[in-house]
Amino acid sequence: CGSGGTARAAAYALREMKAERVLIFNRTTSRAEALAEEFGFEAIADLSSLRELAQLDIVVDTLPGASQFVLPNDVADVLERHRPVVFEAAYIPRRTSFVQQALAAGCEVVEGIEMLFEQGCAQCEIWTKKAPAPRAKIAEALLEALFKQGSGHPAYAKMEPYESLPKGLVRETVKQEGKNEKEAAP
């Protein structure tokens, strides 16, 4: 969903990964058509066509978090039937309306804050010309700033639920802890 700059980046990545079929939806059909044509994908003018899909593996939502986008009721069961992995680009609010809908349907969700983390790591490597980026330190800094009680970060209030931390960030800190234990072992 979407056809702006983030959707263009997602389309590029899907083409590079040789995705067999990609459907692009935007409320302005001409924008979806232009993006689909640029990358050799299909534009859909109406989400009802999702009901006909035999397979749905990935959904990428690139709409602003404040859009409050959700799949319409007559189409929403596609999430429960196929349980695609959902990539949410928006990170404020953390649990967009669409993320809530996907989680309720049992979908695995890659949160916008996790995508922001990956972008930050890549930018760190590009700007510093040092690889790999200090992934665990970046993950720890995000967790501290955005999820620790009493944080003064302006985005803190939009990161609920605080007791359920983003899996990708937690995984990075756990990986580093495992490395530290190995290095400390005699």
Side-chain angles (χ1 to χ4, degrees):
C1 296
S3 63
T6 304
R8 180 164 276 100
Y12 175 83
L14 290 166
R15 184 180 67 190
E16 291 297 303
M17 293 186 311
K18 304 203 183 325
E20 290 180 24
R21 185 177 183 203
V22 175
L23 305 176
I24 298 176
F25 172 78
N26 187 279
R27 67 179 178 228
T28 306
T29 305
S30 61
R31 291 190 66 188
E33 289 169 343
L35 184 60
E37 184 178 331
E38 181 180 344
F39 290 95
F41 298 144
E42 298 172 53
I44 57 173
D46 187 329
L47 289 169
S48 64
S49 61
L50 297 177
R51 289 188 299 235
E52 311 304 320
L53 294 176
Q55 182 178 349
L56 179 63
D57 299 316
I58 297 172
V59 175
V60 181
D61 180 22
T62 65
L63 298 173
S67 73
Q68 298 195 9
F69 169 81
V70 292
L71 290 176
N73 289 338
D74 64 330
V75 180
D77 72 316
V78 73
L79 293 174
E80 200 165 312
R81 268 190 298 121
H82 297 287
R83 298 233 164 89
V85 175
V86 171
F87 288 84
E88 172 60 78
Y91 54 91
I92 295 177
R94 175 183 174 204
R95 294 282 168 95
T96 63
S97 298
F98 184 61
V99 164
Q100 291 175 44
Q101 185 181 40
L103 288 170
C107 297
E108 180 181 342
V109 173
V110 177
E111 299 183 37
I113 196 71
E114 293 169 294
M115 293 176 73
L116 178 68
F117 164 74
E118 293 296 340
Q119 179 182 345
C121 290
Q123 288 173 335
C124 181
E125 291 176 3
I126 291 167
W127 293 340
T128 65
K129 297 188 182 348
K130 295 178 185 175
R135 295 176 64 84
K137 287 182 180 178
I138 295 169
E140 288 168 6
L142 279 169
L143 289 170
E144 177 85 14
L146 299 177
F147 296 95
K148 187 174 181 184
Q149 187 173 5
S151 170
H153 194 284
Y156 173 78
K158 302 285 187 173
M159 293 296 134
E160 297 178 297
Y162 304 110
E163 67 280 355
S164 175
L165 298 174
K167 293 176 191 171
L169 299 182
V170 171
R171 201 172 16 252
E172 286 298 329
T173 61
V174 169
K175 274 197 251 181
Q176 185 60 43
E177 287 172 10
K179 284 181 185 177
N180 292 344
E181 288 173 10
K182 281 184 182 178
E183 290 170 3

